[in-house]
Amino acid sequence: MRRLPAASASDLRASGAARRTFRRYLRWWARIGACACQAQILNLLVELKQDFGLSYLFISHDLSVVRHIADRVMVMNQGRIVESGHHREIWEHPQHPYTRSLIQAAPHADRRRAA
């Protein structure tokens, strides 16, 4: 995988390189769609976020992906935000019944090992 050239976050924002890089990887992700490639792209998005101080508005129905990539989470039900907070708080202490049902329905590593 090609590494990005070293640059400050302000250089990237000023040049638009981060935006172009992000769009390029999203197009690649949409084309590939395989699980292994999806995991690589998610790891890359997390790395870019950490290295360049990027923020994402990431919308997904896959809670395992959301848990991996998000710092803060908003749970929506029928177009309304029913709960929001730090991802760890949402997963460990969900307040809304809809959030609890989503978390219970999500596949967990310990459940997969037991099966």
Side-chain angles (χ1 to χ4, degrees), residues 63-112:
L63 292 182
S64 62
V65 170
V66 172
R67 188 172 192 175
H68 178 72
I69 199 169
D71 296 322
R72 294 192 47 79
V73 175
M74 285 187 188
V75 178
M76 296 182 72
N77 183 16
Q78 297 180 348
R80 297 188 189 273
I81 297 170
V82 295
E83 188 166 359
S84 68
H86 189 273
H87 78 272
R88 192 169 290 132
E89 276 298 309
I90 297 289
W91 264 266
E92 292 174 3
H93 307 288
Q95 300 299 308
H96 195 273
Y98 183 70
T99 306
R100 287 193 290 272
S101 68
L102 286 175
I103 291 171
Q104 289 171 353
H108 297 281
D110 54 343
R111 286 188 200 160
R112 281 181 278 188

Side-chain angles (χ1 to χ4, degrees), residues 9-113:
S10 61
D11 291 340
L12 286 172
R13 280 191 285 277
S15 68
R19 191 176 310 127
R20 287 190 302 274
T21 300
F22 179 69
R23 285 182 187 150
R24 186 178 73 232
Y25 284 116
L26 283 182
R27 284 193 302 269
W28 180 55
W29 185 18
R31 263 197 331 258
I32 300 300
C35 289
C37 290
Q38 181 183 13
Q40 289 177 342
I41 295 299
L42 290 171
N43 290 335
L44 177 64
L45 290 173
V46 169
E47 186 179 325
L48 287 169
K49 180 175 73 167
Q50 293 167 348
D51 291 350
F52 299 114
L54 300 176
S55 296
Y56 304 124
L57 174 59
F58 192 83
I59 301 169
S60 177
H61 290 97
D62 188 339
L63 292 182
S64 62
V65 170
V66 172
R67 188 172 192 175
H68 178 72
I69 199 169
D71 296 322
R72 294 192 47 79
V73 175
M74 285 187 188
V75 178
M76 296 182 72
N77 183 16
Q78 297 180 348
R80 297 188 189 273
I81 297 170
V82 295
E83 188 166 359
S84 68
H86 189 273
H87 78 272
R88 192 169 290 132
E89 276 298 309
I90 297 289
W91 264 266
E92 292 174 3
H93 307 288
Q95 300 299 308
H96 195 273
Y98 183 70
T99 306
R100 287 193 290 272
S101 68
L102 286 175
I103 291 171
Q104 289 171 353
H108 297 281
D110 54 343
R111 286 188 200 160
R112 281 181 278 188
R113 276 190 231 120

